[in-house]
Structure formats: structure tokens, C-alpha cells
Amino acid sequence: MTTKIERRIKIKTRIRGKVSGTAECPRMTVFRSNKQIYVQLIDDLAGKTIASASSKGIEGGAKKEIAAQVGQLIAKKAQEAGVTTVVFDRNGYLYHGRVKELADAARNGGLKF
């Protein structure tokens, strides 16, 4: 019997086999802990992070509201870096709750995926 973390890592490796980012269309990957949520735009060919955002320093509100603010923040940083299209990597997490809120807010901020 596998634990939740082992299951997520199995799903993550399966997703990473299919999803890859470039400079023009980077991979937008999400990590969530119990308290925070983090997102990065990664160029896998060069092995570089183009932009990143996290919920550290964002005060107040429910976790889903904070995730939406992080989504808007990464969309703004991506546009400043000249990125309009990304590939979404949910990192083994279900597309639900905070992950979905972050993705929807990034889409509303102008990112296409």
C-alpha cells in the first residue's frame, strides 16, 4: 500500500514524462504545502527559472483566495518577462481547490494554457 506522498510522486513522474517547457512556452509548475503555495515558470531546455511567485508575504483571506492572488501575480510577472503561453504542470496534485484557483487566476491574468 502506498502513501499519499508516494502516490503523488508517481503521478508527478508520469506527468513530467509528457510535459516539458521551452523559453517561448515554459512549464508552469505548482507546489503546495499545508500553509503556502508556490509557482514557477521553468525553461526545461536551459534549466532556468524564468519567474516565480509564492504566497509568502500575502496576508489574510482563505487559502483559495491567496492562491488566486498568487495566480494573478505569476501572470503579471510572466507578462513582464515576455511570456504569454505556458504548459501547466500540476505536479501530481489534483486539479481542484487551490491548484484550480491559481490556474484560473493565471488564465484571467492573461496566460494561455
Side-chain angles (χ1 to χ4, degrees):
M1 186 168 199
T2 59
T3 64
K4 260 184 157 176
I5 295 173
E6 290 170 341
R7 182 183 150 279
R8 185 182 75 80
I9 291 172
K10 250 171 120 171
I11 294 168
K12 175 183 173 178
T13 54
R14 189 167 53 233
I15 291 170
R16 284 290 291 120
K18 300 171 187 171
V19 173
S20 180
T22 62
E24 299 83 33
C25 185
R27 176 170 55 98
M28 184 169 92
T29 185
V30 176
F31 176 77
R32 65 178 171 89
S33 67
N34 286 336
K35 291 186 178 182
Q36 309 291 339
I37 191 159
Y38 308 87
V39 62
Q40 291 181 321
L41 297 179
I42 301 170
D43 175 6
D44 287 317
L45 299 178
K48 303 232 181 237
T49 299
I50 297 168
S52 66
S54 74
S55 59
K56 287 188 172 184
I58 298 176
E59 296 292 326
K63 289 181 183 178
K64 285 171 75 172
E65 294 169 4
I66 292 172
Q69 291 177 14
V70 173
Q72 292 170 349
L73 183 62
I74 195 67
K76 182 179 164 190
K77 286 186 176 183
Q79 288 176 344
E80 289 171 1
V83 175
T84 57
T85 308
V86 296
V87 178
F88 189 67
D89 177 10
R90 57 188 175 87
N91 212 4
Y93 300 111
L94 292 177
Y95 187 76
H96 179 265
R98 289 190 283 163
V99 175
K100 184 176 186 298
E101 288 292 324
L102 187 142
D104 290 343
R107 276 194 192 100
N108 291 340
L111 285 179
K112 293 181 178 67
F113 57 96

